[in-house]
Amino acid sequence: MNGNAGMAQIRRWRGICVSSGMFDRIARLFTITTKFEAFMVIYGLGLGATERGAHYLRDYPGVGGWMLFAVCPVAVFMAGARILESVERNGQ
């Protein structure tokens, strides 16, 4: 017996545990479907970006740190626009 198929046979698991339907259910957990979910993801990205920017300010004092700090939220704005666009497109 080799790989996961052998373990499934030993433990007498049913086929549903190793089928693609299970992967579809897991993938559904990571799919953004509503604007509320999109805004929550964007909020989390924004918090992480400002935290990283604060670390840049500490590690690179001066103009370089401020420039890196400014780039972090810009990346979130671009990603947020793309996320919202995809949610609106799928909703139609």
Side-chain angles (χ1 to χ4, degrees):
M1 290 183 213
N2 56 358
N4 293 335
M7 288 302 293
Q9 290 175 355
I10 290 172
R11 296 182 184 194
R12 295 184 182 91
W13 289 346
R14 301 292 181 235
I16 194 164
C17 291
V18 292
S19 69
S20 66
M22 184 65 98
F23 294 120
D24 292 339
R25 286 183 173 187
I26 293 171
R28 176 74 177 99
L29 292 173
F30 299 100
T31 304
I32 301 171
T33 55
T34 64
K35 278 191 174 184
F36 178 75
E37 292 173 351
F39 284 126
M40 294 304 291
V41 168
I42 294 167
Y43 178 73
L45 289 173
L47 284 178
T50 54
E51 180 68 25
R52 177 168 292 278
H55 286 273
Y56 283 147
L57 286 175
R58 187 190 71 220
D59 294 340
Y60 305 105
V63 176
W66 282 104
M67 288 173 53
L68 288 171
F69 180 85
V71 170
C72 291
V74 170
V76 173
F77 294 150
M78 292 170 36
R82 179 71 176 141
I83 291 170
L84 287 174
E85 181 182 301
S86 67
V87 169
E88 290 174 357
R89 189 178 325 133
N90 290 335
Q92 293 178 352

